[in-house]
Amino acid sequence: MPTLIRRAIACAASALALGALATSFAPAAQAAAISDGVVKIGVLTDLSGVSSDNAGKGSVLAATMAIDDFAKDHKVLGAPIELVSADSQGKTDTGATIAREWYDRDKVDMITDLTFSNVALAVDRIADEKKKIALVTGAGSSAISNEQCTAHSVQWMYDTYALANSTSQALLRRGLKSWYFITADYAFGQALEKDASEILTRQGGKVVGSVKHPVNSPDLSSYLLRAQTSGAQVIALANSGTDTLNTVKQASQFNMIQGSKQVFTPLLSLITEVHGMGLKNAQGMILTNGFYWDQDDRSRGFAQRFYAQHKKMPTMMQAAVYSAVLNYLKAVQAAGTDDADAVMAKLKTMKIDDPVIRNGQIRADGKLVHDMLLVQVKTPAESKSEWDLYKILETIPADKAFAPLAESKCALVKK
């Protein structure tokens, strides 16, 4: 065989071998871009407190579903995806301790849910310090993505401004201008009352009084009687979870809802709470939500799969966990790494549109703005099934639901 031909064959064989070698190392090279060789996600939720029905085990399930939907083999960039969960108990120190252990010892890359605002604010600061990621899906205080924003967190589903703004405008249009607040005495309740009060007074409404109650109060009768005697047209509930559920049930026992001239409006009420109140008590209430299971085919598809395992329809908090985990993994894939800065940069360029979020975009302040829903609770006669609880009155565009970026006090926003 001529020398030139032998050399050509040898070169071709070498090229094929190198190509095969490169292909065999491709997954390993991808996995090397993942710190510690694994992408670990933590769901820090409320498994035992007032919001356990709104988040809790349902949030863990939603995260599991997102991982399943992202990749059947539970891998991203060739690295395995792992999920851990824990109960913050609604305590700042407990939540902070778990977050530090997860980030430092257990090499968790991203923490989500963070049901309570006090816990979320603490964990956001820790995530920023450790250069890790926190995607807040449960906590609503507007400070999270406003005065106390950080470069490594996103407030994913809602904030107190969006809830207060949409609901108050709807009731003001109906001529209901005088308001009294029954408020849970912690960061979320205080922020919700503050935002609602400012919006009301700016638009010609009036706050005639307010009262604060401890979280997880079994007896709310004295607070209800103060609200009743105030003469306010609207009694607004700036609380959440079982506190909201108990407030409405006890108000019904005092005949303060049906047949009363005063209008009850929970500024945050999730579908599990309305289900617990019963349509007889909750009918006619106007609420703002970021997600409703029966909105369209995509939301129904996700919700029905969730229901098959959880036996309850997802709340907007639980649905938000699904969206946050799914899009986080997409951002890791697109960035080619789980480095927090690279992933956050990628998230802020992505359009967030999935079975939960519509027309979503993460702003410079770390607020995910998206379409919100103004809903009214159905009457028993209107409801066709156990979880057929809302009629959608209006889809509120993102730029109308959330506070303008120009008004942000977040240090990340360039003025």
Side-chain angles (χ1 to χ4, degrees):
M1 184 181 295
T3 302
L4 286 175
I5 294 176
R6 284 199 301 272
R7 287 179 179 171
I9 292 171
C11 288
S14 297
L16 288 170
L18 286 170
L21 191 63
T23 301
S24 69
F25 279 114
Q30 286 183 326
I34 300 298
S35 59
D36 309 300
V38 61
V39 172
K40 191 173 286 190
I41 296 167
V43 178
L44 186 53
T45 186
D46 176 17
L47 291 168
S48 57
V50 294
S51 291
S52 56
D53 209 28
N54 296 336
K57 292 179 180 178
S59 288
V60 179
L61 171 60
T64 303
M65 289 176 61
I67 294 169
D68 288 342
D69 289 353
F70 175 77
K72 295 303 178 186
D73 64 355
H74 294 182
K75 289 185 178 181
V76 57
L77 297 175
I81 305 164
E82 294 182 5
L83 183 69
V84 294
S85 62
D87 186 359
S88 74
Q89 300 174 38
K91 298 176 181 177
T92 306
D93 55 349
T94 301
T97 298
I98 293 169
R100 286 190 183 279
E101 289 178 352
W102 275 359
Y103 286 142
D104 290 339
R105 184 192 67 194
D106 299 332
K107 309 304 180 185
V108 168
D109 299 290
M110 184 273 278
I111 296 177
T112 191
D113 191 326
L114 302 166
T115 320
F116 299 97
S117 293
N118 56 310
V119 175
L121 288 164
V123 173
D124 279 1
R125 289 191 291 272
I126 295 167
D128 203 40
E129 170 195 328
K130 305 288 184 183
K131 291 192 179 299
K132 299 286 188 174
I133 291 178
L135 301 181
V136 181
T137 57
S141 172
S142 55
I144 292 167
S145 52
N146 198 14
E147 300 96 332
Q148 299 189 50
C149 68
T150 75
H152 294 92
S153 68
V154 177
Q155 192 165 22
W156 201 267
M157 172 56 79
Y158 73 103
D159 67 7
T160 49
Y161 182 98
L163 297 180
N165 182 43
S166 304
T167 303
S168 61
Q169 285 197 52
L171 295 179
L172 285 168
R173 286 196 298 267
R174 288 161 170 76
L176 302 171
K177 294 187 176 182
S178 62
W179 290 50
Y180 188 97
F181 289 90
I182 298 177
T183 301
D185 193 10
Y186 74 117
F188 166 77
Q190 294 161 10
L192 188 50
E193 180 184 334
K194 176 179 177 291
D195 284 340
S197 298
E198 289 176 355
I199 291 164
L200 279 169
T201 53
R202 197 162 60 231
Q203 298 181 13
K206 182 181 179 182
V207 179
V208 299
S210 67
V211 64
K212 291 181 172 58
H213 67 80
V215 175
N216 206 10
S217 297
D219 183 5
L220 293 147
S221 56
S222 63
Y223 309 109
L224 285 164
L225 290 173
R226 287 189 220 178
Q228 186 179 43
T229 57
S230 72
Q233 293 172 299
V234 177
I235 299 174
L237 309 184
N239 51 20
S240 64
T242 54
D243 283 332
T244 302
L245 178 60
N246 289 338
T247 307
V248 172
K249 280 189 169 182
Q250 290 176 36
S252 180
Q253 292 168 5
F254 295 142
N255 297 316
M256 291 176 63
I257 298 182
Q258 302 307 319
S260 171
K261 292 182 179 180
Q262 292 177 304
V263 172
F264 261 74
T265 183
L267 294 175
L268 171 64
S269 187
L270 304 184
I271 195 168
T272 44
E273 295 158 5
V274 173
H275 182 269
M277 294 171 194
L279 291 181
K280 182 180 178 182
N281 295 326
Q283 61 182 303
M285 287 181 178
I286 292 175
L287 314 167
T288 300
N289 266 272
F291 170 83
Y292 178 48
W293 73 269
D294 202 21
Q295 179 182 354
D296 57 26
D297 288 342
R298 285 196 296 167
S299 61
R300 280 189 288 273
F302 159 70
Q304 286 162 357
R305 289 191 295 125
F306 181 95
Y307 180 85
Q309 298 181 68
H310 196 59
K311 304 308 176 188
K312 296 176 183 177
M313 284 299 178
T315 66
M316 73 170 175
M317 290 180 181
Q318 293 161 342
V321 171
Y322 173 88
S323 175
V325 172
L326 182 65
N327 285 283
Y328 169 75
L329 292 171
K330 288 180 179 179
V332 170
Q333 181 80 48
T337 177
D338 64 349
D339 174 78
D341 290 327
V343 173
M344 283 297 296
K346 183 59 65 175
L347 275 170
K348 289 183 178 180
T349 67
M350 290 167 51
K351 180 181 179 182
I352 309 298
D353 193 86
D354 55 42
V356 174
I357 298 292
R358 300 291 182 276
N359 302 317
Q361 183 71 51
I362 300 170
R363 301 192 316 196
D365 55 357
K367 194 188 302 289
L368 171 60
V369 297
H370 60 99
D371 294 350
M372 298 287 283
L373 301 173
L374 185 71
V375 302
Q376 186 169 32
V377 180
K378 290 185 173 183
T379 66
E382 290 171 325
S383 176
K384 304 264 188 312
S385 62
E386 182 184 5
W387 292 92
D388 178 26
L389 301 179
Y390 299 153
K391 48 188 174 186
I392 298 174
L393 300 179
E394 185 181 345
T395 297
I396 307 162
D399 62 342
K400 302 296 183 185
F402 292 86
L405 188 60
E407 296 179 5
S408 177
K409 297 175 184 176
C410 172
L412 301 172
V413 178
K414 295 178 181 178
K415 301 296 183 182

